Amino acid sequence: MTLHPDSLAVHAGRDDLASLGVHALPLDLSSTNPLPGIELGGLSYEVLATGGHPFEGGSHVYARLWNPTVARFEEALARLEHAEEAVAFSSGMAAVTAVMLALTHESAKRHIVAVRPLYGGTDHLLASGLLALETTFCAPDGVAAALRDDTALVVLESPANPTLELVDIAAVVAAAGDVPVLVDNTFATPVLQHPLDLGAALSLHSATKYLGGHGDVVGGVVACDAQLAAALRRTRAITGAIMHPLAAYLLHRGLATLPVRMRAQQEGARVVADWLLTRPEVARVHFPGFSESDPLGLVGTQQTGPGAMIAIELAGGFDAAAALTASVQLFTHAVSLGSVDSLIQHPAALTHRPVASEAKPSEALVRLSIGLEDPADLIADLRQALTAKTGRPEEAAAAVR
Ligand SMILES: *Cc1c(COP(=O)(O)O)cnc(C)c1O
């Protein structure tokens, strides 16, 4: 039966539950598994450690190789992303790292093209040289010029962190030619955007954000074809960046409400963004729902809606940003995003702190993640915080700098 996306979010990855005689997702915490014998046990090890699936009569062997609770979440996410398979990791950054290691190793190529802006951690991983890869950073229209014979991967994010710039995924895929493209789909989620349908080879999530949605789980996941998934599982088995089954359980449980949460948070964000436009304290509002923030007209085509993230530039610069983040009462001043509760943070001081100065966001920029609260309450909080005189900006500035 072909299901619509909302039904899929509720039912995907649960096909074996009835045969197990259970209705809720089973949580299997086994670190090791009984072996059927030396021969079949050894064969199971061989198959799983090289990225394959379990076989009838075999064993899951060891939790670093396979876990059924994690595998059910992966199956569900793959279906939502229109992918053959998905592979889950201990965090979004573990997923990014595994993609870099697997694709450069498989292709024996050492060069990455990275479209800025990117999440600060991804930018930092590539710029740091930790993985001994070479990276060329470029703008979305600079991909073709940045490609080399030894380019293994093109990386992009849309909407991009923290200014919510939208990158034309199909255009980058066309420019990349035969080189696989990785799209960080964390901000859009499969509710709004399907990178694989646009030609991307891999769609990645920090599952910590919207997929989890409740601020209580850290994880990462990559959706792709079966061949790339095998390479990623092989990398995961070797490096050990596995997702804990409890994280997979919480994420899978959360997927059921993902479409409803995403739509409601997006509606709230639209109301808050409209109000922010009217404020003299706010010099600029970045929100993909506004045509100024979407010059290519990608909302409605590439992604079905603007999402629930807003970035604002304060007329009063850094001091005003420090005062705002110190004065909110309903918003929590904290990094991360995508939770049912609203968060506010200063990217230049926090998530984008390790980014090179030429690519660092403005000191006047503050990022808002809109949750499920009544937008009227969020607006009331922002109204009092934007006009508060109690932020003690000098002290806050000294602490951050
Ligand atoms: C948070 C984030 C990451 C990193 O994920 P972690 O789960 O924190 O490791 C990667 N990309 C984007 C867009 C993010 O927001």
Side-chain angles (χ1 to χ4, degrees):
M1 189 156 127
T2 316
L3 296 178
H4 290 89
D6 285 22
S7 312
L8 211 48
V10 175
H11 289 280
R14 295 167 188 254
D15 296 350
D16 66 337
L17 299 200
S19 69
L20 294 172
V22 299
H23 182 64
L25 293 165
L27 173 54
D28 182 344
L29 294 170
S30 307
S31 63
T32 192
N33 303 90
L35 300 167
I38 291 178
E39 293 281 356
L40 273 178
L43 186 59
S44 301
Y45 182 99
E46 179 68 26
V47 167
L48 296 175
T50 53
H53 288 252
F55 57 86
E56 194 64 39
S59 167
H60 297 152
V61 184
Y62 188 58
R64 183 152 47 72
L65 303 181
W66 192 268
N67 175 276
T69 303
V70 175
R72 279 188 204 95
F73 164 65
E74 292 171 334
E75 158 73 14
L77 196 275
R79 296 209 46 203
L80 292 179
E81 282 279 348
H82 302 171
E84 286 176 5
E85 296 190 8
V87 186
F89 295 88
S90 51
S91 71
M93 288 315 302
V96 173
T97 302
V99 170
M100 303 296 165
L101 291 174
L103 272 88
T104 52
H105 185 255
E106 295 288 306
S107 65
K109 294 176 174 178
R110 310 292 300 164
H111 180 243
I112 309 282
V113 172
V115 178
R116 271 178 171 155
L118 281 175
Y119 173 67
T122 307
D123 194 298
H124 182 52
L125 175 71
L126 292 169
S128 69
L130 181 67
L131 301 178
L133 305 174
E134 248 192 282
T135 302
T136 302
F137 291 99
C138 66
D141 60 2
V143 170
L147 291 177
R148 304 194 322 208
D149 289 344
D150 64 341
T151 305
L153 181 70
V154 175
V155 184
L156 73 89
E157 196 175 300
S158 185
N161 217 331
T163 43
L164 311 173
E165 276 165 55
L166 303 185
V167 177
D168 186 334
I169 296 171
V172 169
V173 167
D178 293 341
V179 180
V181 174
L182 166 70
V183 174
D184 188 325
N185 203 26
T186 298
F187 276 35
T189 82
V191 179
L192 303 181
Q193 176 168 280
H194 291 97
L196 270 53
D197 291 351
L198 301 165
L202 308 112
S203 176
L204 178 145
H205 290 270
S206 168
T208 315
K209 315 296 169 51
Y210 286 105
L211 301 189
H214 294 74
D216 55 5
V217 52
V218 174
V221 63
V222 183
C224 55
D225 69 18
Q227 193 185 341
L228 286 171
L232 288 172
R233 277 193 297 270
R234 202 149 59 228
T235 305
R236 183 178 65 179
I238 295 169
T239 60
I242 53 169
M243 174 173 279
H244 191 273
L246 179 57
Y249 168 85
L250 289 168
L251 288 167
H252 199 168
R253 187 179 191 268
L255 282 186
T257 55
L258 177 65
V260 176
R261 282 188 277 117
M262 201 62 210
R263 286 195 294 266
Q265 289 177 233
Q266 175 172 265
E267 279 318 302
R270 211 187 278 273
V271 175
V272 173
D274 281 339
W275 178 80
L276 285 165
L277 275 184
T278 69
R279 295 303 305 189
E281 300 89 350
V282 179
R284 189 162 173 204
V285 183
H286 301 266
F287 179 62
F290 298 152
S291 51
E292 311 84 78
S293 301
D294 180 23
L296 302 176
L298 295 171
V299 172
T301 52
Q302 174 167 291
Q303 59 180 73
T304 57
M309 298 296 296
I310 304 170
I312 55 175
E313 285 171 43
L314 293 158
F318 181 87
D319 291 348
L324 170 63
T325 52
S327 304
V328 287
Q329 291 167 10
L330 187 57
F331 280 83
T332 300
H333 181 200
V335 297
S336 199
L337 61 113
S339 186
V340 290
D341 58 307
S342 295
L343 304 176
I344 187 167
Q345 69 110 6
H346 186 262
L350 289 147
T351 46
H352 291 66
R353 194 180 187 91
V355 174
S357 52
E358 72 270 17
K360 225 195 243 312
S362 159
E363 291 233 309
L365 190 85
V366 169
R367 197 187 71 184
L368 305 155
S369 170
I370 303 301
L372 284 174
E373 300 93 339
D374 190 315
D377 293 330
L378 296 174
I379 288 171
D381 190 30
L382 291 171
R383 184 195 309 269
Q384 67 77 23
L386 281 168
T387 52
K389 295 282 176 276
T390 54
R392 307 220 293 199
E394 276 73 20
E395 270 177 45
V400 163
R401 277 175 175 149

